[in-house]
């Protein structure tokens, strides 16, 4: 359908394209990280492509893509703790980030992919091109730990700030638990009148049992 | 600047500038208007919103992670819970992704069923949105209309899928269940009512001054900017951008459907509301076309690599049992690859980005919920508006509810139509409570009174009959046409809270019999006597004859003239004998009137009933005598 888009990117940025493929009608082009903003900026603004809608930014961790077990063993593998994952062979580049672009006027779409090595999980932010990139980049950061350089506010979006690790990485065990988060200090809030523990003048956080933080590594 | 003085001493005090500081207000996550637990940290300058930061994640249940550790079919129930108002649309979107990876086409009938179920869900979703936006602007009635309509459709979905919300209805290669016998008639029967209720909402809100003032020009966004923010669905079309996946990239059988894509012009809250109203009507058209065009045939493909074999084969052949075992234990094997599949969800483009490594479970799944990018633009939409505008804007993006008149035309059909449902609901109560261990324990033998003692206390009605005393005014002294009605008087034996409850259940069924007999036996004729000494003359006579106008004048100014005398008249009220003791001195108003509310003597026995019981028994006993304050205290 839109093989034309891949051809166009190859023509305009012959240096930038790493690979491309088309599968079940979906066009995918992988570009070098340093050219990402340039390529996407072109695809967005060129009247011929007009890919003005950024549908989604998706992340994928390829750590167990080849080695994952199947059948009943696959379902049992959800119990595999993180250290077992560590022994798996390294896959590089381990991550890729997929930018799903669409044109409402031309009705064509293209996925632009950037591959990332596990020792350098950074991508330039495209928040300057799409407003909607803000939350999607925060999402991918939250789930995969991909750092989007230049993002105005790269904080967790679905998980809470105290959460440790990145849940959609394949070495994050599905059943992993994390300790309760201690209550934050509200200097002007006190719990209960009178003397004694939790009495007048004692900040809430100092009365909460959850304050006795537990080492997260013991929570596998 | 000098300090302002007090208003009563310094005339300039009221003119003085009051130093203000921005105030931070937290809305949610647990706030009735923040549907689906969203927290908004709003910075206010007076009433004006300076800044708003949405904080999400309170409803994050780890869809992706759970799905990546389930078989391809096990993901399905998780998709029900993405947009829980229109789950069939999510089911379809996900399953289409798996089918795209495999390169599979479902059967034709299944395609029609998916579109049919999806459009019903879309109507439910839009009804929830427009109902809630009215509700939160103070129009509670519209919410009730919308909920009634949604309930009709959810009942159909429950009949189709076995669940109202957690439907898990689609399957790889088809759907789980076909339309049950008679279901099409049910659906066709309830759709006019759904449209009627939608029109009620329309007439109540669309031209309503208050509603229009509160929504028009509020939360405006242009088409280009909306695309920039990642808007799709009704919120995008409200800006005038014509993008609907069903038209732009028709999937399933949408290319065979004749329907319009309504578009807005202003991109404000009002347009987003009106557009959803119109989409309900378009979805209704699609549903009817689906029903008309749907071919007979299988609802799922006959390929045991992907679809479970029929039970006959599972229990009757070695191939069947093996295919079943492998599908359940290992799941289907989906070829390796990466797809993005997108459908038109109720609130916009619903996309699934799925990666398969060729094994029995999805390697990576990420969902593009249409509300995610739209919610990210909420600060942009509400900035500069008053804090009161926040709620309707938030609603509009729908991030994830006569006595003397004649029977109106069609009323009898309405009544006959709703009575079976009334009985059905009564039966639901019956099955839930009557044999419920806890309920029986809490009510049987509690608040017991014997027949003689009950009479002594002045009991009548259900509370008396629960003791076994057969006294019902309708049978003992038939008034009106009760003597022509065939009905039973249920009686209790123990006179306890439980009997009072069971007896009322049975009386509902008897009243239902009487209603049907009334409708059958009712003769045509005038609904009021033609005696102008007591009844107002027809308006034609009042304005057309001197006798009429005089009779009207006398009745209104002087009232009817009732001969002197004293009567006690008694009928069977819902809670017992309802009596009126009336004395007339022959003048235009009652000389003395006293009501015998059935609850009055019964309430007087409450201390007798509850004494010696636990305090927790007080409530059920009190409930079972059904005291109506207005009747007791007159």
């Amino acid at each position: 359908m839109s093989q034309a888009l891949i051809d166009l990117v190859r023509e305009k940025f012959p240096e930038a394209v790493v690979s491309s493929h088309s599968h079940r009608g979906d066009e995918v082009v992988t570009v070098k990280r340093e050219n990402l903003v340039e390529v996407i900026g072109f695809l967005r603004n060129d009247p011929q492509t007009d890919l003005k809608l950024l549908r989604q930014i998706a992340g994928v961790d390829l750590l167990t893509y080849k080695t994952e077990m199947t059948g009943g063993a696959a379902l049992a593998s959800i119990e595999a703790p993180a250290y077992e994952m560590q022994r798996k062979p390294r896959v590089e580049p381990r991550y890729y980030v997929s930018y799903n672009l669409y044109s409402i006027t031309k009705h064509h779409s293209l996925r632009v992919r950037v591959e990332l090595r596990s020792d350098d999980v950074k991508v330039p932010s495209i928040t300057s091109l799409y407003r909607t990139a803000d939350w999607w980049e925060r999402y991918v950061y939250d789930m995969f730990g991909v750092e989007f350089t230049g993002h105005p506010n790269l904080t967790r979006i679905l998980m809470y700030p105290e959460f440790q690790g990145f849940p959609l990485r394949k070495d994050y065990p599905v059943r992993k638990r994390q300790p309760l988060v201690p209550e934050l200090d509200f200097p002007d809030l006190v719990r209960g009148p009178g003397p004694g523990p939790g009495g007048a003048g004692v900040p809430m956080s100092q009365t909460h049992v959850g304050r006795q933080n537990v080492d997260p590594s013991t929570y596998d | 600047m000098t300090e302002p003085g007090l208003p009563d001493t310094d005339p300039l005090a009221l003119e003085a500038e009051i130093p203000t500081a921005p105030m931070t207000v937290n809305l949610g996550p647990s706030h009735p208007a923040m549907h689906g637990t969203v927290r908004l940290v709003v910075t206010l300058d007076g009433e004006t919103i300076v800044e708003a930061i949405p904080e999400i994640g309170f409803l994050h249940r780890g869809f992706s992670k759970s799905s990546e550790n389930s078989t391809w079919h096990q993901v399905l129930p998780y998709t029900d819970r993405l947009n829980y108002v229109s789950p069939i649309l999510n089911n379809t979107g996900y399953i289409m992704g798996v089918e795209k990876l495999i390169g599979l086409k479902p059967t034709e009938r299944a395609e029609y069923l998916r579109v049919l179920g999806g459009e019903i869900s879309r109507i439910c979703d839009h009804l929830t949105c427009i109902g809630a936006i009215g509700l939160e602007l103070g129009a509670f009635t519209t919410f009730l209309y919308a909920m009634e309509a949604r309930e009709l459709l959810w009942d159909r979905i429950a009949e189709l899928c076995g669940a109202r919300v957690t439907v898990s209805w689609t399957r790889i290669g088809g759907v789980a269940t076909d339309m049950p016998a008679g279901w099409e008639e049910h659906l066709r029967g309830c759709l006019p009512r759904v449209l009627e209720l939608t029109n009620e909402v329309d007439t109540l809100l669309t031209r309503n001054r208050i509603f229009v003032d509160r929504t028009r020009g509020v939360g405006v966004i242009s088409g280009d900017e909306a695309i920039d923010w990642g808007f799709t669905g009704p919120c995008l079309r409200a800006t005038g951008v014509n993008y609907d996946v069903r038209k732009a990239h028709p999937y399933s059988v949408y290319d065979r459907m004749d329907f319009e894509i309504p578009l807005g012009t202003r991109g404000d809250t009002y347009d987003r509301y009106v557009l959803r109203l119109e989409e309900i009507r378009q979805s209704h058209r699609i549903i009817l076309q689906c029903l008309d065009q749907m071919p007979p045939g299988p609802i799922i493909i006959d390929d045991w690599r992907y679809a479970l074999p029929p039970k006959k084969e599972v229990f009757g052949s070695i191939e069947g049992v093996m295919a079943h075992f492998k599908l359940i234990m290992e799941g289907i094997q989906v070829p390796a690859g990466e797809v993005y599949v997108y459908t038109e969800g109720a609130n916009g483009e619903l996309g699934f980005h799925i990666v398969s490594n060729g094994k029995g479970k999805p390697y990576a799944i990420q969902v593009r919920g249409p509300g995610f990018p739209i919610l990210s633009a909420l600060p942009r939409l509400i900035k500069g508006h008053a804090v009161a505008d926040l709620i309707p804007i938030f609603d509009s993006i729908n991030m994830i509810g006569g006595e003397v008149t004649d029977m109106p035309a069609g009323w009898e059909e309405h009544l006959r139509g709703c009575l079976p449902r009334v009985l059905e609901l009564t039966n639901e109560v019956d099955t839930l409570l009557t044999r419920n261990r806890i309920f029986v324990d809490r009510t049987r033998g509690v608040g017991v009174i014997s027949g003689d003692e009950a009479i002594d206390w002045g009991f009548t009605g259900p509370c008396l009959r629960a003791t076994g005393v057969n006294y019902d005014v309708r049978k003992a002294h038939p008034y009106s046409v009760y003597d022509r009605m065939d009905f039973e008087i249920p009686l209790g034996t123990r006179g306890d809270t439980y009997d009072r409850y069971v007896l009322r259940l049975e009386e509902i069924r008897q009243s239902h019999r009487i209603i049907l007999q009334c409708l059958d036996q009712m003769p045509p004729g005038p609904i009021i006597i033609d005696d102008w000494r007591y009844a107002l003359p027809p308006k034609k006579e009042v304005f057309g004859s001197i006798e009429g106008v005089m009779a009207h004048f006398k009745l209104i100014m002087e009232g009817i003239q009732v001969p002197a005398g004293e009567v006690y008249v008694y009928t069977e009220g819902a809670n017992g004998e309802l009596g009126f003791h009336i004395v007339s001195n022959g003048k235009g108003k009652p000389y003395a009137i006293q009501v015998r509310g059935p609850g009055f003597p019964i309430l007087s026995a409450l201390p007798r009933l509850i004494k010696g019981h636990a305090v927790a028994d007080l409530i059920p006993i009190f409930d079972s005598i059904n005291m109506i304050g207005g009747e007791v205290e007159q």
Side-chain angles (χ1 to χ4, degrees), chain B residues 222-243:
Chain B
S222 75
D224 286 343
E225 205 184 339
I227 293 173
D228 202 21
W229 279 102
F231 278 35
T232 48
C235 292
L236 177 62
R237 293 193 288 275
T239 67
V241 176
N242 189 350
Y243 174 59

Side-chain angles (χ1 to χ4, degrees), chain A residues 1 23-24 26 28 44 52-72 74-75 77-78 96 98 100 102 104 107-109 111 113 129-132 135-136 139-140 143-144 157-159 167-170 172-174, chain B residues 54 56-58 60 64-66 68-71 74 100-103 225 227-232 236 241-243 248-249 329-330 333 335-340 342 349 353 355-357 359-369 372-373 375-376 380:
Chain A
M1 187 177 74
H23 177 66
R24 304 253 188 248
D26 289 9
V28 181
R44 180 187 190 276
K52 287 253 171 21
L53 176 66
L54 173 66
R55 279 165 159 167
Q56 181 191 26
I57 303 178
V60 175
D61 175 7
L62 293 170
L63 183 68
T64 59
Y65 187 81
K66 290 275 194 293
T67 56
E68 194 179 71
M69 290 160 284
T70 189
L75 296 179
S77 76
I78 58 175
Y96 67 81
S98 179
N100 197 333
Y102 181 76
I104 283 176
H107 289 181
H108 57 208
S109 64
R111 286 211 297 278
R113 213 189 251 186
L129 296 172
Y130 296 94
R131 307 291 281 272
T132 185
W135 274 27
W136 286 116
Y139 172 79
V140 175
M143 294 293 149
F144 294 92
I157 185 162
L158 291 174
M159 308 310 291
L168 286 189
R169 286 189 176 182
K170 287 290 174 178
Y172 188 95
V174 64
Chain B
I56 60 172
F58 296 96
H60 179 60
S64 298
K65 195 73 177 177
S66 306
E68 288 164 18
N69 290 282
S70 310
T71 65
Q74 284 171 346
K100 185 174 175 183
L101 272 166
I102 303 173
E225 205 184 339
I227 293 173
D228 202 21
W229 279 102
F231 278 35
T232 48
L236 177 62
V241 176
N242 189 350
Y243 174 59
H249 305 281
M329 297 307 288
E330 296 181 0
Q333 307 297 310
E338 180 198 79
V339 293
Y340 174 76
Y342 50 106
E349 180 175 313
H353 179 270
V355 180
S356 168
N357 61 350
K359 303 290 167 56
K361 53 183 192 176
Y363 182 76
I365 282 196
Q366 269 162 64
V367 61
R368 181 211 190 273
F372 183 85
L375 185 66
S376 76
R380 151 72 187 78

Side-chain angles (χ1 to χ4, degrees), chain B residues 21 45 57 102 146 149 170 196 219 246 265 283 309 346 366 405 420 430 434 506 530 571 588 590 601 615:
Chain B
D45 177 12
I102 303 173
T170 56
E196 198 181 308
R246 295 173 297 172
T265 50
S283 291
Q366 269 162 64
T405 54
D430 192 351
T434 311
E506 187 51 35
D530 187 28
T571 57
V615 69

Side-chain angles (χ1 to χ4, degrees), chain B residues 74-238:
Chain B
Q74 284 171 346
V75 176
L76 202 53
Y78 294 131
T79 65
D80 287 339
R81 289 144 177 89
L82 291 171
N83 178 344
Y84 31 75
V85 187
S86 50
I88 292 181
L89 290 167
N90 310 322
N91 286 175
T92 308
Y94 163 71
I95 286 291
M96 279 175 60
V98 183
E99 286 168 354
K100 185 174 175 183
L101 272 166
I102 303 173
L104 197 69
K105 283 283 286 178
T107 64
E108 198 182 3
R109 187 175 176 83
E111 296 270 39
Y112 275 101
L113 283 167
R114 285 180 187 180
V115 170
L116 176 67
E119 292 305 319
I120 295 175
S121 299
R122 191 183 313 281
I123 296 182
C124 295
D125 202 291
H126 287 352
L127 282 169
T128 313
C129 178
I130 62 175
I133 192 171
L135 169 74
E136 277 147 22
L137 284 174
F140 191 59
T141 318
T142 57
F143 179 72
L144 295 179
Y145 284 136
M147 286 305 107
E148 185 187 340
R150 192 181 78 171
E151 208 55 34
L152 283 169
L153 293 172
W154 273 5
D155 283 346
R156 301 293 84 76
I157 287 180
E159 289 160 9
L160 181 64
C161 313
R164 289 151 53 85
V165 181
T166 51
V167 292
S168 301
W169 184 53
T170 56
R171 292 289 181 274
I172 293 158
V175 293
T177 51
D178 204 343
M179 299 190 286
W183 187 80
E184 185 180 338
E185 286 67 43
H186 280 192
L187 179 63
R188 283 187 194 272
C190 82
L191 282 175
R193 178 72 183 144
V194 172
L195 273 198
E196 198 181 308
L197 288 161
T198 309
N199 290 339
E200 294 274 15
V201 176
D202 188 356
T203 48
L204 280 169
L205 287 183
T206 312
R207 279 162 203 81
N208 180 314
R209 190 73 257 157
I210 298 169
F211 183 78
V212 173
D213 284 348
R214 292 292 305 276
T215 55
R216 185 164 278 177
V218 172
V220 180
I221 192 163
S222 75
D224 286 343
E225 205 184 339
I227 293 173
D228 202 21
W229 279 102
F231 278 35
T232 48
C235 292
L236 177 62
R237 293 193 288 275

